[in-house]
Amino acid sequence: MASLDVALSVKGLTKKFDISAPFLNRIVERKPKRYLCAVDDISFEVPKGGCVSLVGESGCGKSTVARLVVGLYAPTGGAVEFGDHRDGNALSVQMIFQDPYSSLNPRWRVRDIVAEPIRELNLREGEAAINARVDELLRVVGLSPKDGTKFPHEFSGGQRQRISIARALGGEPTFLVCDEPTSALDVSVQAQILNLMRDLQDKLGLTYLFISHDLSVVRHMSDRIAVMYLGRIVEDAPTEALFDEPLHPYTRLLLDTIPNLEAPKRARDAAAGEVPSPIDPPSGCTFHPRCPLANARCKAERPAILSVGDGRRVACHAVEEGRG
Amino acid sequence: MLMQVDRQSAVWSGMPVAEPVLEVRGLRISFPTRHDTVNAVSDVSFSIRKGEILGVVGESGAGKSMTGLATLGLLEPPGHISAGQIFLGGQRIDNLPDRQMEKIRGRRIGAIFQDPLTSLHPLFTVGAQLVETIRLHLRLTRAQAKRRAVDLLKEVGIPAPEDRVNDYPHQFSGGMRQRVVIALALAAEPELIIADEPTTALDVSVQAQIMALLRRLCDDRGAAVMLVTHDMGVIAETADRVAVLYAGRVIEIGSVEEITRAPKHPYTSGLMGSIPPLQGRVPRLMQIDGAMPRPDAIPAGCPFNPRCAKAGPRCLSDLPPLVEIAGTRAACWLYSGGVN
Ligand SMILES: Nc1ncnc2c1ncn2[C@@H]1O[C@H](COP(=O)(O)OP(=O)(O)OP(=O)(O)O)[C@@H](O)[C@H]1O
Ligand SMILES: Nc1ncnc2c1ncn2[C@@H]1O[C@H](COP(=O)(O)OP(=O)(O)OP(=O)(O)O)[C@@H](O)[C@H]1O
Ligand code: SF4
Ligand code: SF4
Ligand SMILES: [Mg+2]
Ligand SMILES: [Mg+2]
């Protein structure tokens, strides 16, 4: 069981997907079974009332971690443990998805969409109580109870994301997993949703596992950040420390490539390289083909993630050897 | 030396020396509906000079893509240009027949869209597609065109271009595919490149590479670039000037430095304030309540008035003109006589 102040504790979590060719083709073409290791032995904790973010380039395994945490996927290895709620009951978890278009049933009225988890979990007795709760939730997310009779297509992207949040809150979660909740939205609408999420955190004491590839959003929302690369956490640190002094060469590359409004780096020479295929990842440290500090050891030996003090962890030989 | 005389007289008469590559004047794009017509774009004017990148920003539905498509002559009917003119190198192109416009596309205007796969044929090698595009527009032999294809792939940063030229699009990663699309857009050395969200589907590290590439091509070849994006950070790093679109209108246009440092229009300042900062920490982001109106529900007066904290009575009835203010132009009554 996780310690008292910990909302979520993930230990050695691993997810392999079977991506073999169909059985017959395999027999005919004599191909072996193939696996893609989307999440590879990762561990982290989320403190109660906190916000921990996962960042990294497309395909590094962020959504897979989110789905493992909420139980949409069964892990291949490792464990996901939730801490106890204040009242001793287990924490309840809900998830907000990236796409506010496909995650809402188009044939249901908003009222029924928001009421679904309330009914499913038997959180209110009788229609009147359920309706009152739905009205309350719509107000919490900045919509009006009148909106309940409409269908999802009658709303803008930002409003639909508010509906998803209202539905998630309907399950009375203490823990919200948010997978790119604002990536499909315009910046002005994104600001509305991020402000709302912050307000809810203060008011309801929610804990967030937040996922985004937008580092400025992540910096704004989170207390801690875990940087992922090809299924592994390569660096994990408090937000300010990570931005002030990134230790892992990949974190530095990521921070270097964010377009910066306040200090545009017009003449910057963009870092070379792209994420290699996760089906056949490079040997040793999987970042070595893109790393300016890579040496023979990096190609041969995979760096373990080690504590470096101040609540930080890094997986890099150069950092360990002090040549970072 | 006719050229020189022209330049002289231009300087003498106080006219700008270089004619803009693209000039859009009073563009309106309309869609007929059952009851009347809606305007997706209204009275949009801007120009782009040689070697200049104009960033076009705005929320979803603001009319960015429509403006680009109109310039390319690719508006899908029933959408059409219902007012205004478009000039390419001084020649009017908005009223040309389709056959002539087809020749201009590719040859004089290159296009890069968000999804690289829409621009590439899955069944032909990238080399074959490049050679075809090159030979369609330039008088080159097959061997010459092939050599040029390899050079182009090299120029856009594809490693081992001699080998990759024989690969199919699916054999490239997303970022590499977008580079191929850029190579295709450049194949005939167009004077104008229209890039509509060219990196939205790509990772930040790849996005940075593609933007640096666009910037370099623009500097080296002197192409004019219209860069459509919703990312102000990208604009700040890549563009020279920026046009902010709102509900189909240009509400502010000017140099990137000026607009990112001191935006004039309340919508532009709201937009800048709603971006989480990378330096310093703010407890709350600046928030513009509500959403941009759809083209069929644009309010009278200033289209931003329902969301504007500074709106006054005049904003509800009269459309503000785009006026010059210290290095930029903005359409807001605050700068042209007050909101009362
Ligand atoms: N159901 C699945 N079957 C096979 N492979 C999968 C499956 N889901 C994900 N993957 C693969 O696992 C890897 C991690 O995917 P995941 O969706 O977790 O990445 P992500 O970090 O969320 O990326 P993005 O930023 O693009 O959303 C990818 O290589 C992906 O192709
Ligand atoms: N066939 C159509 N009929 C009527 N209106 C249309 C049609 N196609 C597009 N529109 C409208 O034209 C407006 C401008 O669309 P446009 O695609 O230019 O937006 P955009 O600024 O590129 O947005 P995004 O950032 O989402 O790409 C939108 O409000 C859209 O609803
Ligand atoms: S282990 Fe080696 S290759 Fe990997 S990040 Fe560190 S220095 Fe670079
Ligand atoms: S004209 Fe009025 S409503 Fe429009 S932006 Fe200016 S102050 Fe606001
Ligand atoms: Mg994902
Ligand atoms: Mg568009």
Side-chain angles (χ1 to χ4, degrees), chain A residues 56-58 153-156 162 185-192 194-196 198-199 213 215-217 219-223 239-240 243 253-254 257-266 268-275 290, chain B residues 58-60 173-176 179 203-209 211-212 215 230-234 236-240 256-257 260 267 271-272 274-291 294 307:
Chain A
E57 287 166 283
S58 185
H153 74 256
E154 297 175 63
F155 294 89
S156 69
R162 286 172 191 264
L185 307 175
D186 284 310
V187 277
S188 76
V189 184
Q190 166 173 289
Q192 296 170 7
L194 295 181
N195 283 341
L196 171 66
R198 268 280 180 82
D199 293 346
H213 61 265
L215 284 153
S216 58
V217 168
R219 178 167 182 271
H220 178 71
M221 290 300 290
S222 39
D223 314 314
T239 302
E240 287 313 307
F243 274 82
L253 178 146
L254 268 189
T257 52
I258 334 173
N260 192 342
L261 255 178
E262 290 111 294
K265 298 160 278 195
R266 296 288 299 258
R268 117 191 117 180
D269 222 2
E274 284 181 55
V275 186
R290 300 171 77 185
Chain B
E59 281 174 63
S60 184
S173 68
M176 286 293 158
R179 286 169 191 260
D203 278 314
V204 273
S205 71
V206 182
Q207 165 177 308
Q209 296 167 26
M211 285 302 157
R215 182 73 248 179
H230 59 265
D231 189 334
M232 264 318 239
V234 166
E237 297 222 315
T238 325
D240 302 297
V256 163
E257 287 75 22
T260 51
Y267 173 67
L271 204 59
M272 305 296 298
S274 60
I275 302 167
L278 277 168
Q279 271 109 46
R281 241 177 132 88
V282 293
R284 281 179 75 80
L285 299 168
M286 200 194 256
Q287 178 170 329
I288 316 175
D289 286 318
R294 273 176 276 229
R307 303 172 77 186

Side-chain angles (χ1 to χ4, degrees), chain B:
Chain B
M1 293 278 94
L2 193 66
M3 178 74 188
Q4 244 166 8
V5 176
D6 269 347
R7 272 175 176 256
Q8 290 269 313
S9 61
V11 171
W12 178 72
S13 64
M15 299 270 290
V17 175
E19 182 152 30
V21 175
L22 176 69
E23 186 171 6
V24 173
R25 282 191 209 150
L27 179 69
R28 185 169 74 205
I29 300 170
S30 307
F31 288 87
T33 61
R34 242 178 307 152
H35 311 292
D36 52 349
T37 57
V38 297
N39 299 328
V41 168
S42 302
D43 197 18
V44 161
S45 301
F46 61 86
S47 60
I48 314 178
R49 284 186 299 269
K50 214 165 150 18
E52 183 180 64
I53 299 183
L54 174 77
V56 178
V57 280
E59 281 174 63
S60 184
K64 307 182 294 292
S65 297
M66 289 292 152
T67 305
L69 290 172
T71 308
L72 284 160
L74 287 177
L75 280 179
E76 294 270 357
H80 64 282
I81 297 177
S82 55
Q85 298 106 38
I86 301 173
F87 297 88
L88 180 67
Q91 179 198 0
R92 187 159 172 199
I93 57 165
D94 59 278
N95 55 359
L96 293 180
D98 283 350
R99 294 246 338 263
Q100 279 187 47
M101 209 49 213
E102 253 166 52
K103 283 201 191 118
I104 288 182
R105 272 196 301 275
R107 176 73 190 89
R108 296 182 59 198
I109 311 178
I112 305 163
F113 296 110
Q114 178 171 342
D115 182 1
L117 283 180
T118 58
S119 311
L120 295 170
H121 197 294
L123 299 181
F124 293 96
T125 65
V126 304
Q129 298 183 52
L130 278 165
V131 166
E132 189 195 301
T133 308
I134 292 165
R135 296 199 65 204
L136 188 69
H137 298 298
L138 305 176
R139 290 172 166 275
L140 293 179
T141 65
R142 188 156 284 281
Q144 285 170 326
K146 180 105 184 217
R147 219 169 305 131
R148 189 168 157 74
V150 172
D151 287 346
L152 279 165
L153 290 179
K154 190 164 167 191
E155 188 167 353
V156 298
I158 297 208
E162 301 82 8
D163 306 327
R164 302 306 311 258
V165 74
N166 298 316
D167 285 348
Y168 292 88
H170 73 263
Q171 291 168 290
F172 290 81
S173 68
M176 286 293 158
R177 249 178 243 147
Q178 196 59 293
R179 286 169 191 260
V180 172
V181 171
I182 294 178
L184 264 177
L186 294 175
E189 305 235 346
E191 55 220 89
L192 173 68
I193 296 169
I194 296 182
D196 191 348
E197 311 265 8
T199 59
T200 306
L202 306 175
D203 278 314
V204 273
S205 71
V206 182
Q207 165 177 308
Q209 296 167 26
I210 300 280
M211 285 302 157
L213 170 64
L214 260 184
R215 182 73 248 179
R216 182 165 59 74
L217 292 170
C218 175
D219 291 342
D220 294 356
R221 293 167 168 242
V225 178
M226 174 174 163
L227 174 64
V228 172
T229 167
H230 59 265
D231 189 334
M232 264 318 239
V234 166
I235 295 268
E237 297 222 315
T238 325
D240 302 297
R241 288 191 310 133
V242 53
V244 184
L245 257 59
Y246 188 81
R249 289 176 186 275
V250 175
I251 54 105
E252 183 158 4
I253 182 166
S255 80
V256 163
E257 287 75 22
E258 194 60 29
I259 289 186
T260 51
R261 194 180 51 79
K264 301 293 184 298
H265 196 283
Y267 173 67
T268 321
S269 356
L271 204 59
M272 305 296 298
S274 60
I275 302 167
L278 277 168
Q279 271 109 46
R281 241 177 132 88
V282 293
R284 281 179 75 80
L285 299 168
M286 200 194 256
Q287 178 170 329
I288 316 175
D289 286 318
M292 196 181 66
R294 273 176 276 229
D296 58 356
I298 296 175
C302 171
F304 187 57
N305 72 46
R307 303 172 77 186
C308 183
K310 300 194 167 135
R314 189 174 193 180
C315 308
L316 305 182
S317 55
D318 301 334
L319 182 70
L322 199 57
V323 295
E324 193 91 27
I325 324 144
T328 88
R329 283 186 293 152
C332 169
W333 286 121
L334 290 172
Y335 304 97
S336 36
V339 297
N340 292 305

Side-chain angles (χ1 to χ4, degrees), chain A residues 15-19 36-39 55-67 73 98 179-180 211-213 228 230-231 276-279, chain B residues 201 203:
Chain A
K15 178 69 187 176
K16 288 187 177 147
F17 290 108
D18 184 348
I19 51 157
L36 183 154
C37 195
V39 173
V55 301
E57 287 166 283
S58 185
C60 70
K62 306 181 294 294
S63 298
T64 307
V65 173
R67 286 165 176 268
Y73 287 150
Q98 168 172 1
D179 189 0
E180 312 258 10
I211 291 172
S212 175
H213 61 265
M228 291 184 68
L230 282 177
S277 159
I279 299 172
Chain B
D203 278 314

